[in-house]
Amino acid sequence: KGCINDDGIVGPHIDFKGRLDQSTMSVDAGNHGDMTTGIMTGAGNLDPTMKGMAYGSFVHVLDYDATMPNTVGLYLSDSVTITSTSYSNGCNAGYTSTARAIDQEIRTYPEILQFFSG
């Protein structure tokens, strides 16, 4: 299972049918999240050459929050092991408190893979 932290509601799109949990979404600010969700988990139904890296996976879609408060909770409650956050959270800002918190999560839960845009 995966998690996308991006700019809003994803879809509707045939490549994600029946595999999204967007129950906590409150924003629909654009379609960047559609693209990142496709790269991560698109099934390739519309275009088989556009399958995602983890095609067919179930995805939790969340409103972006710079502190990423749900990563460990989703891992513990729903076995979410891959997260993608499309806001770099301070590119070249040094070792921030958020970076430190994520490092601590990774040490405590090494099964979680967290990806960020640059």
Side-chain angles (χ1 to χ4, degrees), residues 38-96:
I39 291 168
M40 185 172 164
T41 65
N45 294 325
L46 188 61
D47 182 347
T49 66
M50 297 297 195
K51 280 186 180 177
M53 299 298 131
Y55 61 89
S57 296
F58 188 87
V59 183
H60 292 266
V61 180
L62 304 176
D63 289 331
Y64 173 73
D65 182 328
T67 64
M68 291 154 288
N70 298 313
T71 304
V72 172
L74 284 171
Y75 169 70
L76 294 173
S77 67
D78 291 309
S79 301
V80 171
T81 56
I82 301 172
T83 66
S84 174
T85 302
S86 292
Y87 295 90
S88 63
N89 207 340
C91 186
N92 299 320
Y95 192 65
T96 64

Side-chain angles (χ1 to χ4, degrees), residues 23-42:
S23 61
T24 63
M25 292 298 299
S26 62
V27 177
D28 194 8
N31 59 9
H32 188 267
D34 293 71
M35 178 192 63
T36 59
T37 304
I39 291 168
M40 185 172 164
T41 65

